[in-house]
Amino acid sequence: MHAPLLAPSLLAGDHANLGASAAVVSQLGLTWLHIDIMDGHFVPNLSFGPQIVTALRKPSKLFFDVHLMLDEPHRYVEAFAKAGANLISIHIEPAYDHAATLARIRALGCKCGIVLNPDTPAESIAPFLAQVDLVLVMTVQPGFGGQSFRQDMLPKIAQIDRWRRERGLDFRLEVDGGIDVKTAAECRSVGADTFVAGTSFFTAPDRAAFATAMANL
Ligand code: DX5
Ligand code: ZN
């Protein structure tokens, strides 16, 4: 079982000073930064492009966990790999060649992940489990930070964790949306090990205490 890992989401950082927000994460001794990429089509919002990832990459040693919320992710994986992504996750919902795109991400030297929305059944990603380094279960409808955690995602997380154990796989199982210490503990109890936290991390009165609590889940 993987140790619990906190991945603060830059979406909730200071958009006028993203480098400083990334530095806050590394100064706490954390190693991952979750970076949300939105295209205004797959989700009704826009966020960051590859140039921002390139700019953040230069001063940072953080592991960039790049979550592509795009209708055509296959068209952009190369740009984000070149920009310095360490892991690139793609959604299952749009129609494109998922297996080929995961293979392409690996060929570009990155780890790869598959993501599913709250209304997408676990079965949809089952064929890809042996091919990925991470499965990301959305615990809110993607597009915006600050939404409430969906309790009804817990059985889905448990199912994916069951498949992982049954098949002897070791991908990380990440959750994203409405994650705080309490909801992370619920996800941990059913097998999640990687916790994206935007609002709860950046608004925590004591971020070091928050990080410690997440590390001790
Ligand atoms: C939502 C993004 C999340 C977002 C989470 O579409 O994928 O990564 O930053 O924000 P919080 O933690 O505030 O729910
Ligand atoms: Zn995300």
Side-chain angles (χ1 to χ4, degrees):
M1 198 177 185
H2 294 288
L5 181 68
L6 169 60
S9 176
L10 191 63
L11 193 65
D14 177 358
H15 287 230
N17 203 347
L18 293 169
S21 293
V24 161
V25 174
S26 48
Q27 280 157 13
L28 285 171
L30 299 170
T31 53
W32 278 38
L33 182 69
H34 184 83
I35 305 178
D36 288 303
I37 311 297
M38 305 180 184
D39 67 353
H41 292 274
F42 181 66
V43 291
N45 197 5
L46 297 160
S47 58
F48 314 122
Q51 285 155 297
I52 289 182
V53 177
T54 301
L56 290 165
R57 178 74 291 168
K58 288 187 190 111
S60 181
K61 292 189 168 56
L62 289 166
F63 182 93
F64 284 180
D65 168 28
V66 174
H67 174 194
L68 299 185
M69 283 162 271
L70 310 177
D71 259 340
E72 300 188 296
H74 52 292
R75 292 181 57 199
Y76 297 94
V77 292
E78 183 160 356
F80 284 100
K82 284 191 175 147
N86 299 101
L87 184 151
I88 299 177
S89 294
I90 55 173
H91 272 260
I92 192 69
E93 292 84 7
Y96 60 96
D97 190 336
H98 301 88
T101 306
L102 292 168
R104 178 85 185 118
I105 292 169
R106 263 193 209 288
L108 288 162
C110 299
K111 292 186 185 285
C112 64
I114 192 89
V115 194
L116 69 174
N117 279 342
D119 295 334
T120 304
E123 287 70 20
S124 66
I125 60 149
F128 304 99
L129 294 180
Q131 208 191 333
V132 297
D133 300 293
L134 177 142
V135 172
L136 169 51
V137 176
M138 289 308 302
T139 45
V140 298
Q141 190 62 27
F144 300 91
Q147 304 181 73
S148 297
F149 174 76
R150 286 198 31 183
Q151 294 281 341
D152 57 331
M153 294 300 104
L154 293 170
K156 188 196 283 188
I157 299 163
Q159 173 66 72
I160 295 168
D161 178 52
R162 218 159 23 241
W163 284 333
R164 178 168 59 175
R165 282 184 279 111
E166 284 167 5
R167 301 184 195 181
L169 299 170
D170 76 340
F171 56 82
R172 283 195 161 271
L173 183 42
E174 183 175 57
V175 287
D176 182 8
I179 298 297
D180 56 23
V181 175
K182 181 175 167 292
T183 57
E186 292 180 64
C187 294
R188 180 74 176 155
S189 73
V190 291
D193 48 57
T194 306
F195 304 93
V196 177
T199 308
S200 61
F201 174 80
F202 279 102
T203 65
D206 182 345
R207 291 193 192 114
F210 180 88
T212 301
M214 295 293 276
N216 291 328
L217 283 174

mmCIF file of all heavy atoms in Angstrom, residues 9 11-12 34 36 38 67 69 138 140-147 176-179 196-200, ligand 1:
data_model
loop_
_atom_site.group_PDB
_atom_site.id
_atom_site.type_symbol
_atom_site.label_atom_id
_atom_site.label_comp_id
_atom_site.label_asym_id
_atom_site.label_seq_id
_atom_site.Cartn_x
_atom_site.Cartn_y
_atom_site.Cartn_z
ATOM 1 N N SER A 9 -3.355 21.592 -4.983
ATOM 2 C CA SER A 9 -3.795 21.990 -6.327
ATOM 3 C C SER A 9 -3.554 23.477 -6.546
ATOM 4 O O SER A 9 -4.131 24.327 -5.858
ATOM 5 C CB SER A 9 -5.282 21.677 -6.501
ATOM 6 O OG SER A 9 -5.699 22.145 -7.769
ATOM 7 N N LEU A 11 -4.650 25.373 -8.651
ATOM 8 C CA LEU A 11 -5.844 26.132 -9.031
ATOM 9 C C LEU A 11 -6.305 27.041 -7.895
ATOM 10 O O LEU A 11 -6.877 28.105 -8.136
ATOM 11 C CB LEU A 11 -6.963 25.147 -9.412
ATOM 12 C CG LEU A 11 -8.178 25.726 -10.124
ATOM 13 C CD1 LEU A 11 -7.795 26.272 -11.496
ATOM 14 C CD2 LEU A 11 -9.276 24.676 -10.255
ATOM 15 N N ALA A 12 -6.048 26.616 -6.658
ATOM 16 C CA ALA A 12 -6.464 27.412 -5.501
ATOM 17 C C ALA A 12 -5.342 28.338 -5.023
ATOM 18 O O ALA A 12 -5.487 29.021 -4.002
ATOM 19 C CB ALA A 12 -6.906 26.497 -4.365
ATOM 20 N N HIS A 34 -0.284 19.507 -7.942
ATOM 21 C CA HIS A 34 -1.336 19.140 -8.902
ATOM 22 C C HIS A 34 -1.661 20.376 -9.745
ATOM 23 O O HIS A 34 -1.944 21.448 -9.205
ATOM 24 C CB HIS A 34 -2.563 18.667 -8.119
ATOM 25 C CG HIS A 34 -3.685 18.164 -8.963
ATOM 26 N ND1 HIS A 34 -3.725 16.883 -9.459
ATOM 27 C CD2 HIS A 34 -4.827 18.758 -9.386
ATOM 28 C CE1 HIS A 34 -4.850 16.713 -10.156
ATOM 29 N NE2 HIS A 34 -5.540 17.843 -10.128
ATOM 30 N N ASP A 36 -4.045 21.777 -12.793
ATOM 31 C CA ASP A 36 -5.285 21.533 -13.537
ATOM 32 C C ASP A 36 -5.291 22.302 -14.846
ATOM 33 O O ASP A 36 -5.178 23.527 -14.846
ATOM 34 C CB ASP A 36 -6.481 21.998 -12.698
ATOM 35 C CG ASP A 36 -6.741 21.085 -11.532
ATOM 36 O OD1 ASP A 36 -6.949 19.887 -11.763
ATOM 37 O OD2 ASP A 36 -6.719 21.577 -10.379
ATOM 38 N N MET A 38 -7.562 23.171 -18.155
ATOM 39 C CA MET A 38 -8.963 23.169 -18.617
ATOM 40 C C MET A 38 -9.071 23.880 -19.956
ATOM 41 O O MET A 38 -8.363 24.858 -20.203
ATOM 42 C CB MET A 38 -9.833 23.906 -17.604
ATOM 43 C CG MET A 38 -9.722 23.364 -16.193
ATOM 44 S SD MET A 38 -10.779 24.292 -15.081
ATOM 45 C CE MET A 38 -10.338 23.522 -13.512
ATOM 46 N N HIS A 67 -3.176 17.374 -14.617
ATOM 47 C CA HIS A 67 -4.524 16.818 -14.834
ATOM 48 C C HIS A 67 -5.141 17.526 -16.033
ATOM 49 O O HIS A 67 -5.538 18.689 -15.930
ATOM 50 C CB HIS A 67 -5.330 17.042 -13.539
ATOM 51 C CG HIS A 67 -6.773 16.678 -13.618
ATOM 52 N ND1 HIS A 67 -7.683 17.076 -12.661
ATOM 53 C CD2 HIS A 67 -7.476 15.945 -14.518
ATOM 54 C CE1 HIS A 67 -8.877 16.604 -12.972
ATOM 55 N NE2 HIS A 67 -8.785 15.931 -14.100
ATOM 56 N N MET A 69 -7.975 18.339 -18.347
ATOM 57 C CA MET A 69 -9.446 18.318 -18.527
ATOM 58 C C MET A 69 -9.729 18.888 -19.911
ATOM 59 O O MET A 69 -10.118 20.047 -20.060
ATOM 60 C CB MET A 69 -10.112 19.144 -17.425
ATOM 61 C CG MET A 69 -10.157 18.415 -16.091
ATOM 62 S SD MET A 69 -10.456 19.522 -14.707
ATOM 63 C CE MET A 69 -8.771 19.964 -14.330
ATOM 64 N N MET A 138 -12.489 11.464 -9.737
ATOM 65 C CA MET A 138 -13.013 12.801 -9.431
ATOM 66 C C MET A 138 -14.101 12.660 -8.377
ATOM 67 O O MET A 138 -15.062 11.903 -8.550
ATOM 68 C CB MET A 138 -13.594 13.470 -10.682
ATOM 69 C CG MET A 138 -12.563 13.899 -11.722
ATOM 70 S SD MET A 138 -11.194 14.906 -11.097
ATOM 71 C CE MET A 138 -12.070 16.311 -10.388
ATOM 72 N N VAL A 140 -15.668 15.425 -7.322
ATOM 73 C CA VAL A 140 -16.618 16.494 -7.684
ATOM 74 C C VAL A 140 -16.683 16.488 -9.210
ATOM 75 O O VAL A 140 -15.815 15.900 -9.872
ATOM 76 C CB VAL A 140 -16.170 17.908 -7.229
ATOM 77 C CG1 VAL A 140 -16.045 17.985 -5.709
ATOM 78 C CG2 VAL A 140 -14.871 18.340 -7.915
ATOM 79 N N GLN A 141 -17.681 17.177 -9.753
ATOM 80 C CA GLN A 141 -17.716 17.390 -11.204
ATOM 81 C C GLN A 141 -16.574 18.346 -11.525
ATOM 82 O O GLN A 141 -16.492 19.431 -10.932
ATOM 83 C CB GLN A 141 -19.081 17.994 -11.588
ATOM 84 C CG GLN A 141 -19.344 18.057 -13.075
ATOM 85 C CD GLN A 141 -19.376 16.695 -13.742
ATOM 86 O OE1 GLN A 141 -19.693 15.694 -13.113
ATOM 87 N NE2 GLN A 141 -19.018 16.653 -15.004
ATOM 88 N N PRO A 142 -15.640 17.984 -12.444
ATOM 89 C CA PRO A 142 -14.464 18.844 -12.627
ATOM 90 C C PRO A 142 -14.812 20.193 -13.263
ATOM 91 O O PRO A 142 -15.829 20.332 -13.919
ATOM 92 C CB PRO A 142 -13.576 18.020 -13.562
ATOM 93 C CG PRO A 142 -14.494 17.083 -14.267
ATOM 94 C CD PRO A 142 -15.603 16.795 -13.298
ATOM 95 N N GLY A 143 -13.924 21.152 -13.043
ATOM 96 C CA GLY A 143 -14.079 22.472 -13.652
ATOM 97 C C GLY A 143 -13.839 23.614 -12.671
ATOM 98 O O GLY A 143 -13.378 24.678 -13.069
ATOM 99 N N PHE A 144 -14.122 23.368 -11.412
ATOM 100 C CA PHE A 144 -14.011 24.436 -10.429
ATOM 101 C C PHE A 144 -13.523 23.888 -9.091
ATOM 102 O O PHE A 144 -13.867 22.764 -8.725
ATOM 103 C CB PHE A 144 -15.374 25.113 -10.215
ATOM 104 C CG PHE A 144 -15.913 25.719 -11.479
ATOM 105 C CD1 PHE A 144 -16.735 24.984 -12.323
ATOM 106 C CD2 PHE A 144 -15.566 27.018 -11.861
ATOM 107 C CE1 PHE A 144 -17.208 25.523 -13.519
ATOM 108 C CE2 PHE A 144 -16.027 27.564 -13.045
ATOM 109 C CZ PHE A 144 -16.854 26.818 -13.874
ATOM 110 N N GLY A 145 -12.752 24.695 -8.391
ATOM 111 C CA GLY A 145 -12.368 24.349 -7.031
ATOM 112 C C GLY A 145 -13.499 24.707 -6.076
ATOM 113 O O GLY A 145 -14.502 25.318 -6.469
ATOM 114 N N GLY A 146 -13.335 24.298 -4.829
ATOM 115 C CA GLY A 146 -14.246 24.748 -3.785
ATOM 116 C C GLY A 146 -15.598 24.065 -3.732
ATOM 117 O O GLY A 146 -16.512 24.555 -3.074
ATOM 118 N N GLN A 147 -15.760 22.926 -4.419
ATOM 119 C CA GLN A 147 -17.047 22.217 -4.371
ATOM 120 C C GLN A 147 -17.037 21.180 -3.244
ATOM 121 O O GLN A 147 -16.001 20.846 -2.689
ATOM 122 C CB GLN A 147 -17.294 21.505 -5.698
ATOM 123 C CG GLN A 147 -17.248 22.412 -6.924
ATOM 124 C CD GLN A 147 -17.519 21.602 -8.183
ATOM 125 O OE1 GLN A 147 -18.646 21.188 -8.461
ATOM 126 N NE2 GLN A 147 -16.462 21.351 -8.950
ATOM 127 N N ASP A 176 -9.753 13.750 -6.066
ATOM 128 C CA ASP A 176 -9.638 15.172 -6.405
ATOM 129 C C ASP A 176 -11.026 15.812 -6.351
ATOM 130 O O ASP A 176 -11.912 15.436 -7.116
ATOM 131 C CB ASP A 176 -9.049 15.277 -7.825
ATOM 132 C CG ASP A 176 -8.836 16.700 -8.300
ATOM 133 O OD1 ASP A 176 -8.995 17.650 -7.506
ATOM 134 O OD2 ASP A 176 -8.496 16.855 -9.496
ATOM 135 N N GLY A 177 -11.166 16.791 -5.442
ATOM 136 C CA GLY A 177 -12.407 17.548 -5.349
ATOM 137 C C GLY A 177 -13.013 17.464 -3.959
ATOM 138 O O GLY A 177 -13.406 16.388 -3.515
ATOM 139 N N GLY A 178 -13.024 18.603 -3.271
ATOM 140 C CA GLY A 178 -13.624 18.639 -1.931
ATOM 141 C C GLY A 178 -12.847 17.855 -0.893
ATOM 142 O O GLY A 178 -13.411 17.413 0.109
ATOM 143 N N ILE A 179 -11.534 17.693 -1.138
ATOM 144 C CA ILE A 179 -10.714 16.904 -0.202
ATOM 145 C C ILE A 179 -10.180 17.800 0.920
ATOM 146 O O ILE A 179 -9.555 18.841 0.663
ATOM 147 C CB ILE A 179 -9.553 16.201 -0.950
ATOM 148 C CG1 ILE A 179 -10.086 15.222 -2.000
ATOM 149 C CG2 ILE A 179 -8.613 15.514 0.044
ATOM 150 C CD1 ILE A 179 -10.910 14.054 -1.459
ATOM 151 N N VAL A 196 -5.504 15.167 -3.691
ATOM 152 C CA VAL A 196 -5.427 16.522 -4.229
ATOM 153 C C VAL A 196 -6.221 17.428 -3.293
ATOM 154 O O VAL A 196 -7.353 17.114 -2.939
ATOM 155 C CB VAL A 196 -6.035 16.570 -5.651
ATOM 156 C CG1 VAL A 196 -6.029 18.012 -6.177
ATOM 157 C CG2 VAL A 196 -5.280 15.641 -6.595
ATOM 158 N N ALA A 197 -5.625 18.527 -2.902
ATOM 159 C CA ALA A 197 -6.334 19.473 -2.039
ATOM 160 C C ALA A 197 -6.039 20.885 -2.517
ATOM 161 O O ALA A 197 -4.881 21.311 -2.515
ATOM 162 C CB ALA A 197 -5.913 19.290 -0.585
ATOM 163 N N GLY A 198 -7.067 21.578 -2.956
ATOM 164 C CA GLY A 198 -6.914 22.962 -3.410
ATOM 165 C C GLY A 198 -7.286 23.921 -2.304
ATOM 166 O O GLY A 198 -6.434 24.405 -1.547
ATOM 167 N N THR A 199 -8.591 24.156 -2.194
ATOM 168 C CA THR A 199 -9.099 25.129 -1.223
ATOM 169 C C THR A 199 -8.639 24.814 0.195
ATOM 170 O O THR A 199 -8.171 25.713 0.914
ATOM 171 C CB THR A 199 -10.645 25.134 -1.277
ATOM 172 O OG1 THR A 199 -11.042 25.305 -2.645
ATOM 173 C CG2 THR A 199 -11.229 26.242 -0.431
ATOM 174 N N SER A 200 -8.768 23.536 0.601
ATOM 175 C CA SER A 200 -8.456 23.204 2.004
ATOM 176 C C SER A 200 -6.981 23.456 2.317
ATOM 177 O O SER A 200 -6.636 23.864 3.421
ATOM 178 C CB SER A 200 -8.832 21.758 2.317
ATOM 179 O OG SER A 200 -8.095 20.882 1.493
HETATM 180 C C1 DX5 B 1 -11.409 20.530 -10.190
HETATM 181 C C2 DX5 B 1 -9.931 20.284 -10.176
HETATM 182 C C3 DX5 B 1 -9.370 20.180 -8.819
HETATM 183 C C4 DX5 B 1 -9.539 21.405 -7.952
HETATM 184 C C5 DX5 B 1 -9.868 20.884 -6.578
HETATM 185 O O1 DX5 B 1 -11.856 20.479 -11.486
HETATM 186 O O2 DX5 B 1 -9.613 19.089 -10.867
HETATM 187 O O3 DX5 B 1 -8.014 19.772 -8.842
HETATM 188 O O4 DX5 B 1 -8.409 22.220 -7.873
HETATM 189 O O5 DX5 B 1 -10.206 21.943 -5.774
HETATM 190 P P1 DX5 B 1 -10.757 21.753 -4.292
HETATM 191 O O6 DX5 B 1 -9.730 20.986 -3.534
HETATM 192 O O7 DX5 B 1 -10.949 23.152 -3.830
HETATM 193 O O8 DX5 B 1 -12.058 20.983 -4.403
#
